[in-house]
Amino acid sequence: MDLITLIMYLGYFLLVVGTIGVVFGPMTDDPFKRLLNIEVPSMGVALIFLAYNETLALMTFLGVNAILILVLVRAIVINTELSEEQE
Amino acid sequence: MDILPTVSAICCVLGAIGVIVHTNPINKIIMFAFLESGLIGLIVSCYYLDVAIVSSILEPIGTVVLLLGLMKYEVVKKSKKKYGRKLPILTK
């Protein structure tokens, strides 16, 4: 099997498995564990970018993904604190 | 086929299954680092070394942010379970 074909099939496998894991996976009532499941289809999209030679898109996606983890973790912590005050 | 893409692909598949299957968040973060190491290996095997530099810099930042956020999330959730029902009575 060619290297590009291997990377493309691997990216689609990660995308499908990660999406099913995010929606139906174990312990997804906890929002932090659901956030950790979200990272798997993100890496699948990065592998598909790599298979189609989109270098600049891959670099931008990795940079934005690191910032997005920061924002989402902060949002989950603030949401937990605010739901504490409402009860 | 070369040995680097094969080992990186095995790392990616095992890391993806491990992130989905594990339920402890520390184990999930460890498996996520495993998955990202496979991604870096596949990028290097395509000779995109500049993208490999960017990915190698940004990946530990994400892991450190996830670990710090996990610690704060556990502290907030534990304090909510301990004081959540008693303090609003005092405030009201």
Coordinates of all heavy atoms in Angstrom, one line a residue, chain B residues 8-78:
Chain B
S8 N 4.2 4.5 13.1 CA 3.4 5.7 13.4 C 1.9 5.4 13.2 O 1.1 5.8 14.0 CB 3.8 6.8 12.5 OG 5.2 7.1 12.7
A9 N 1.6 4.5 12.1 CA 0.2 4.2 11.9 C -0.4 3.3 13.1 O -1.5 3.5 13.5 CB 0.0 3.5 10.6
I10 N 0.5 2.4 13.5 CA 0.1 1.6 14.7 C -0.1 2.4 15.9 O -1.1 2.2 16.7 CB 1.1 0.5 14.9 CG1 1.1 -0.5 13.7 CG2 0.8 -0.3 16.2 CD1 2.2 -1.5 13.8
C11 N 0.7 3.4 16.1 CA 0.6 4.4 17.3 C -0.7 5.1 17.1 O -1.4 5.3 18.1 CB 1.7 5.4 17.3 SG 3.2 4.8 18.1
C12 N -1.1 5.6 15.9 CA -2.3 6.3 15.7 C -3.5 5.5 16.0 O -4.4 5.9 16.7 CB -2.4 6.9 14.3 SG -1.6 8.4 14.0
V13 N -3.6 4.3 15.5 CA -4.8 3.4 15.7 C -4.9 3.1 17.2 O -6.0 3.2 17.8 CB -4.6 2.2 14.8 CG1 -5.8 1.2 15.2 CG2 -4.7 2.5 13.4
L14 N -3.8 2.7 17.8 CA -3.9 2.3 19.2 C -4.2 3.5 20.1 O -5.0 3.4 21.1 CB -2.6 1.7 19.7 CG -2.3 0.3 19.2 CD1 -1.0 -0.2 19.7 CD2 -3.4 -0.7 19.6
G15 N -3.7 4.7 19.8 CA -4.0 5.9 20.5 C -5.4 6.3 20.4 O -6.1 6.6 21.4
A16 N -6.0 6.1 19.2 CA -7.4 6.5 19.0 C -8.3 5.6 19.8 O -9.3 6.0 20.5 CB -7.8 6.5 17.5
I17 N -8.1 4.3 19.7 CA -8.9 3.3 20.4 C -8.8 3.5 21.9 O -9.7 3.5 22.7 CB -8.6 1.9 20.0 CG1 -8.9 1.7 18.5 CG2 -9.3 0.9 20.8 CD1 -8.5 0.4 17.9
G18 N -7.5 3.8 22.3 CA -7.3 4.0 23.8 C -8.0 5.3 24.3 O -8.5 5.2 25.4
V19 N -8.0 6.4 23.5 CA -8.7 7.6 24.0 C -10.2 7.3 24.1 O -10.8 7.7 25.1 CB -8.4 8.8 23.0 CG1 -9.3 9.9 23.3 CG2 -7.0 9.2 23.1
I20 N -10.8 6.6 23.2 CA -12.2 6.3 23.2 C -12.6 5.4 24.4 O -13.5 5.6 25.1 CB -12.7 5.8 21.9 CG1 -12.4 6.8 20.8 CG2 -14.2 5.5 21.9 CD1 -13.1 8.1 20.9
V21 N -11.8 4.3 24.6 CA -12.2 3.3 25.5 C -11.9 3.6 26.9 O -12.7 3.3 27.8 CB -11.4 2.0 25.1 CG1 -11.6 0.9 26.1 CG2 -12.0 1.4 23.8
H22 N -10.8 4.3 27.2 CA -10.5 4.5 28.7 C -11.5 5.5 29.3 O -12.0 6.4 28.6 CB -9.1 5.1 28.8 CG -8.0 4.1 28.7 ND1 -7.8 3.2 29.8 CD2 -7.1 3.8 27.8 CE1 -6.8 2.4 29.4 NE2 -6.3 2.7 28.2
T23 N -11.7 5.4 30.6 CA -12.6 6.3 31.3 C -11.9 7.2 32.3 O -12.5 8.2 32.6 CB -13.7 5.5 32.0 OG1 -13.0 4.5 32.9 CG2 -14.5 4.7 31.0
N24 N -10.7 6.9 32.7 CA -10.0 7.8 33.6 C -9.4 8.9 32.8 O -8.7 8.6 31.8 CB -8.9 7.0 34.4 CG -8.3 7.8 35.5 OD1 -8.8 8.8 35.9 ND2 -7.2 7.3 36.1
P25 N -9.5 10.2 33.1 CA -9.0 11.3 32.3 C -7.5 11.3 32.2 O -7.0 11.7 31.1 CB -9.5 12.5 33.0 CG -10.7 12.1 33.8 CD -10.4 10.7 34.2
I26 N -6.8 10.9 33.2 CA -5.3 10.8 33.1 C -4.9 9.8 32.0 O -4.0 10.1 31.2 CB -4.7 10.5 34.5 CG1 -5.0 11.5 35.5 CG2 -3.2 10.3 34.4 CD1 -4.4 12.8 35.3
N27 N -5.5 8.7 32.0 CA -5.2 7.7 31.0 C -5.6 8.2 29.6 O -4.9 7.9 28.6 CB -6.0 6.4 31.3 CG -5.5 5.7 32.5 OD1 -4.3 5.8 32.8 ND2 -6.3 5.0 33.2
K28 N -6.7 9.0 29.5 CA -7.1 9.5 28.2 C -6.1 10.5 27.7 O -5.8 10.5 26.5 CB -8.5 10.2 28.3 CG -9.6 9.2 28.4 CD -10.9 9.9 28.8 CE -11.7 10.2 27.6 NZ -12.4 9.0 27.1
I29 N -5.5 11.3 28.6 CA -4.5 12.3 28.2 C -3.2 11.6 27.8 O -2.6 12.0 26.8 CB -4.3 13.3 29.3 CG1 -5.5 14.2 29.5 CG2 -3.1 14.2 29.0 CD1 -5.4 15.1 30.7
I30 N -2.8 10.5 28.5 CA -1.7 9.8 28.1 C -1.9 9.1 26.7 O -1.0 9.2 25.8 CB -1.4 8.7 29.1 CG1 -0.9 9.3 30.4 CG2 -0.3 7.7 28.6 CD1 -0.8 8.4 31.6
M31 N -3.0 8.6 26.4 CA -3.3 8.0 25.1 C -3.4 9.1 24.0 O -3.1 8.8 22.9 CB -4.6 7.2 25.2 CG -4.5 5.9 25.8 SD -3.4 4.9 24.9 CE -3.2 3.5 25.9
F32 N -3.8 10.3 24.4 CA -3.8 11.4 23.4 C -2.4 11.8 23.0 O -2.2 12.1 21.8 CB -4.6 12.5 24.0 CG -4.7 13.7 23.2 CD1 -5.2 13.7 21.9 CD2 -4.2 15.0 23.6 CE1 -5.2 14.8 21.1 CE2 -4.2 16.1 22.8 CZ -4.7 16.0 21.5
A33 N -1.5 11.8 24.0 CA -0.1 12.1 23.6 C 0.5 11.0 22.7 O 1.2 11.3 21.8 CB 0.7 12.2 24.9
F34 N 0.1 9.8 22.9 CA 0.5 8.6 22.1 C 0.0 8.8 20.6 O 0.7 8.7 19.7 CB -0.2 7.4 22.7 CG 0.4 6.1 22.3 CD1 1.7 5.8 22.5 CD2 -0.4 5.2 21.7 CE1 2.2 4.6 22.1 CE2 0.1 3.9 21.4 CZ 1.4 3.6 21.6
L35 N -1.3 9.3 20.5 CA -1.9 9.5 19.2 C -1.2 10.7 18.5 O -0.9 10.6 17.3 CB -3.4 9.9 19.4 CG -4.2 10.5 18.2 CD1 -4.3 9.5 17.1 CD2 -5.5 10.9 18.7
E36 N -0.8 11.7 19.2 CA -0.1 12.9 18.6 C 1.3 12.5 18.2 O 1.8 13.0 17.2 CB -0.1 14.0 19.5 CG -1.5 14.8 19.5 CD -1.4 16.0 20.4 OE1 -0.7 15.9 21.4 OE2 -2.1 16.9 20.2
S37 N 1.9 11.6 18.9 CA 3.3 11.2 18.5 C 3.2 10.4 17.2 O 4.1 10.5 16.3 CB 3.9 10.3 19.6 OG 3.2 9.1 19.7
G38 N 2.1 9.6 17.0 CA 2.0 9.0 15.7 C 1.7 9.9 14.6 O 2.2 9.7 13.5
L39 N 1.0 11.0 14.9 CA 0.8 12.1 13.8 C 2.1 12.7 13.4 O 2.3 12.9 12.2 CB -0.2 13.1 14.4 CG -0.5 14.3 13.5 CD1 -1.2 13.9 12.3 CD2 -1.2 15.4 14.2
I40 N 3.0 13.0 14.4 CA 4.3 13.6 14.1 C 5.1 12.7 13.3 O 5.8 13.1 12.3 CB 5.0 14.0 15.4 CG1 4.2 15.2 16.0 CG2 6.4 14.4 15.1 CD1 4.9 15.7 17.3
G41 N 5.1 11.4 13.6 CA 5.8 10.4 12.8 C 5.4 10.3 11.4 O 6.2 10.2 10.4
L42 N 4.0 10.4 11.1 CA 3.5 10.4 9.8 C 3.9 11.7 9.0 O 4.1 11.7 7.8 CB 2.0 10.2 9.8 CG 1.6 8.8 10.0 CD1 0.1 8.7 10.1 CD2 2.1 7.9 8.9
I43 N 3.9 12.8 9.7 CA 4.3 14.1 9.1 C 5.7 14.0 8.7 O 6.1 14.4 7.6 CB 4.0 15.3 10.0 CG1 2.5 15.5 10.1 CG2 4.6 16.6 9.5 CD1 2.1 16.5 11.2
V44 N 6.6 13.5 9.5 CA 8.0 13.4 9.2 C 8.3 12.4 8.1 O 9.1 12.7 7.2 CB 8.8 13.0 10.5 CG1 10.2 12.6 10.2 CG2 8.8 14.1 11.5
S45 N 7.5 11.3 8.0 CA 7.7 10.4 6.9 C 7.2 10.9 5.5 O 7.6 10.4 4.5 CB 6.9 9.1 7.2 OG 5.5 9.3 7.2
C46 N 6.4 12.1 5.5 CA 6.1 12.8 4.3 C 7.1 13.9 4.0 O 6.9 14.7 3.1 CB 4.7 13.4 4.3 SG 3.4 12.2 4.2
Y47 N 8.2 14.0 4.8 CA 9.2 15.1 4.7 C 8.7 16.5 4.8 O 9.2 17.4 4.1 CB 10.0 14.9 3.3 CG 10.8 13.6 3.3 CD1 10.3 12.5 2.6 CD2 11.9 13.4 4.0 CE1 10.9 11.3 2.5 CE2 12.6 12.2 3.9 CZ 12.1 11.2 3.2 OH 12.8 10.0 3.2
Y48 N 7.6 16.7 5.5 CA 7.2 18.0 5.8 C 7.8 18.5 7.2 O 7.1 18.4 8.2 CB 5.7 18.1 5.9 CG 5.0 18.0 4.6 CD1 3.7 17.5 4.4 CD2 5.6 18.6 3.5 CE1 3.1 17.4 3.2 CE2 5.0 18.5 2.2 CZ 3.7 17.9 2.1 OH 3.1 17.9 0.9
L49 N 9.1 18.9 7.1 CA 9.8 19.1 8.4 C 9.4 20.4 9.1 O 9.4 20.5 10.3 CB 11.3 19.0 8.2 CG 11.8 17.7 7.7 CD1 13.3 17.7 7.5 CD2 11.4 16.6 8.7
D50 N 8.9 21.4 8.3 CA 8.5 22.6 8.9 C 7.2 22.4 9.7 O 7.0 22.9 10.8 CB 8.3 23.7 7.9 CG 7.5 23.2 6.7 OD1 7.3 22.0 6.6 OD2 7.2 24.0 5.8
V51 N 6.3 21.6 9.1 CA 5.0 21.3 9.8 C 5.3 20.4 11.1 O 4.7 20.6 12.1 CB 4.1 20.6 8.9 CG1 2.7 20.4 9.5 CG2 3.9 21.3 7.6
A52 N 6.4 19.6 11.0 CA 6.8 18.8 12.1 C 7.3 19.7 13.3 O 7.1 19.4 14.4 CB 7.8 17.8 11.7
I53 N 8.0 20.8 12.9 CA 8.5 21.7 13.9 C 7.3 22.4 14.6 O 7.2 22.4 15.9 CB 9.3 22.8 13.3 CG1 10.7 22.3 12.8 CG2 9.6 24.0 14.3 CD1 11.5 23.2 12.0
V54 N 6.3 22.9 13.9 CA 5.1 23.5 14.5 C 4.3 22.5 15.3 O 3.9 22.8 16.5 CB 4.2 24.1 13.3 CG1 2.9 24.6 13.9 CG2 5.0 25.2 12.6
S55 N 4.1 21.3 14.8 CA 3.4 20.3 15.6 C 4.1 19.9 16.9 O 3.5 19.7 17.9 CB 3.2 19.1 14.7 OG 2.5 18.1 15.4
S56 N 5.5 19.8 16.8 CA 6.2 19.4 18.0 C 6.2 20.5 19.0 O 6.3 20.2 20.2 CB 7.7 19.1 17.6 OG 7.7 18.0 16.7
I57 N 6.1 21.8 18.6 CA 6.0 22.9 19.6 C 4.6 22.9 20.2 O 4.5 23.1 21.4 CB 6.4 24.2 18.9 CG1 7.9 24.3 18.6 CG2 6.1 25.4 19.9 CD1 8.3 25.4 17.8
L58 N 3.6 22.8 19.4 CA 2.2 23.0 19.9 C 1.6 21.9 20.6 O 0.7 22.0 21.4 CB 1.3 23.4 18.7 CG 1.6 24.8 18.1 CD1 0.7 25.1 17.0 CD2 1.4 25.9 19.2
E59 N 2.1 20.6 20.4 CA 1.5 19.5 21.0 C 1.7 19.4 22.6 O 0.8 19.2 23.3 CB 2.1 18.2 20.4 CG 1.7 16.9 21.1 CD 2.4 15.8 20.4 OE1 2.6 15.8 19.2 OE2 2.8 14.9 21.1
P60 N 3.0 19.7 23.1 CA 3.1 19.7 24.6 C 2.3 20.8 25.3 O 1.9 20.7 26.4 CB 4.6 19.8 24.8 CG 5.2 19.4 23.6 CD 4.3 19.9 22.5
I61 N 2.1 21.9 24.5 CA 1.4 23.0 25.1 C -0.1 22.6 25.3 O -0.7 22.8 26.4 CB 1.4 24.3 24.2 CG1 2.8 24.8 24.1 CG2 0.5 25.4 24.6 CD1 3.0 25.9 23.1
G62 N -0.6 21.9 24.4 CA -2.0 21.3 24.5 C -2.1 20.3 25.7 O -3.1 20.3 26.4
T63 N -1.1 19.5 25.8 CA -1.1 18.5 26.9 C -1.0 19.1 28.2 O -1.7 18.7 29.2 CB 0.1 17.5 26.7 OG1 0.0 17.0 25.3 CG2 0.0 16.4 27.6
V64 N -0.1 20.2 28.4 CA 0.0 20.9 29.6 C -1.3 21.6 30.0 O -1.7 21.6 31.2 CB 1.2 21.8 29.6 CG1 1.2 22.8 30.8 CG2 2.5 21.0 29.6
V65 N -1.9 22.2 29.0 CA -3.2 22.9 29.3 C -4.2 22.0 29.7 O -5.0 22.2 30.6 CB -3.6 23.7 28.0 CG1 -5.0 24.2 28.1 CG2 -2.7 24.9 27.8
L66 N -4.3 20.8 29.1 CA -5.3 19.8 29.5 C -5.0 19.3 30.9 O -6.0 19.1 31.6 CB -5.2 18.6 28.5 CG -6.0 18.8 27.2 CD1 -5.8 17.6 26.3 CD2 -7.5 18.9 27.4
L67 N -3.8 19.1 31.3 CA -3.5 18.6 32.6 C -3.8 19.7 33.7 O -4.5 19.3 34.7 CB -2.0 18.2 32.7 CG -1.6 16.9 32.1 CD1 -0.1 16.7 32.1 CD2 -2.2 15.8 33.0
L68 N -3.5 20.9 33.4 CA -3.8 22.0 34.4 C -5.3 22.2 34.5 O -5.9 22.3 35.6 CB -3.2 23.3 34.0 CG -1.6 23.3 34.1 CD1 -1.1 24.6 33.5 CD2 -1.2 23.2 35.5
G69 N -6.0 22.1 33.3 CA -7.5 22.2 33.3 C -8.1 21.1 34.0 O -9.1 21.2 34.7
L70 N -7.5 19.9 33.9 CA -8.1 18.7 34.6 C -8.0 18.8 36.1 O -8.9 18.5 36.8 CB -7.4 17.4 34.1 CG -7.7 16.2 34.9 CD1 -9.2 15.8 34.6 CD2 -6.8 15.0 34.5
M71 N -6.8 19.3 36.6 CA -6.7 19.5 38.0 C -7.7 20.5 38.5 O -8.3 20.3 39.6 CB -5.2 20.0 38.3 CG -4.2 18.8 38.2 SD -2.7 19.2 39.0 CE -2.0 20.4 37.8
K72 N -7.8 21.7 37.8 CA -8.8 22.7 38.3 C -10.2 22.2 38.2 O -11.0 22.4 39.1 CB -8.6 24.0 37.5 CG -9.5 25.1 38.1 CD -9.1 26.4 37.5 CE -9.9 27.5 38.3 NZ -9.7 28.8 37.8
Y73 N -10.5 21.4 37.2 CA -11.9 20.8 37.0 C -12.2 19.9 38.2 O -13.3 19.9 38.7 CB -12.0 20.1 35.7 CG -13.3 19.5 35.4 CD1 -14.4 20.3 35.2 CD2 -13.4 18.1 35.4 CE1 -15.6 19.7 34.9 CE2 -14.6 17.5 35.1 CZ -15.7 18.4 34.9 OH -16.9 17.8 34.6
E74 N -11.2 19.0 38.6 CA -11.4 18.1 39.7 C -11.6 18.8 41.0 O -12.5 18.5 41.8 CB -10.2 17.1 39.8 CG -10.1 16.2 38.6 CD -11.1 15.1 38.6 OE1 -11.7 14.8 39.7 OE2 -11.4 14.6 37.5
V75 N -10.9 19.9 41.2 CA -11.0 20.7 42.4 C -12.4 21.4 42.5 O -13.1 21.3 43.5 CB -9.9 21.7 42.5 CG1 -10.2 22.7 43.6 CG2 -8.6 21.1 42.8
V76 N -12.8 21.9 41.4 CA -14.1 22.6 41.3 C -15.2 21.6 41.5 O -16.2 21.9 42.3 CB -14.3 23.4 40.0 CG1 -15.7 23.8 39.8 CG2 -13.4 24.6 40.0
K77 N -15.1 20.4 40.9 CA -16.2 19.4 41.0 C -16.3 18.9 42.5 O -17.4 18.7 43.0 CB -15.9 18.3 40.0 CG -17.2 17.5 39.7 CD -16.9 16.6 38.5 CE -15.9 15.5 38.8 NZ -15.8 14.6 37.7
K78 N -15.1 18.7 43.1 CA -15.1 18.2 44.5 C -15.6 19.2 45.4 O -16.4 18.9 46.4 CB -13.6 17.8 44.9 CG -13.6 17.0 46.1 CD -12.1 16.5 46.4 CE -11.7 15.6 45.3 NZ -10.3 15.1 45.5

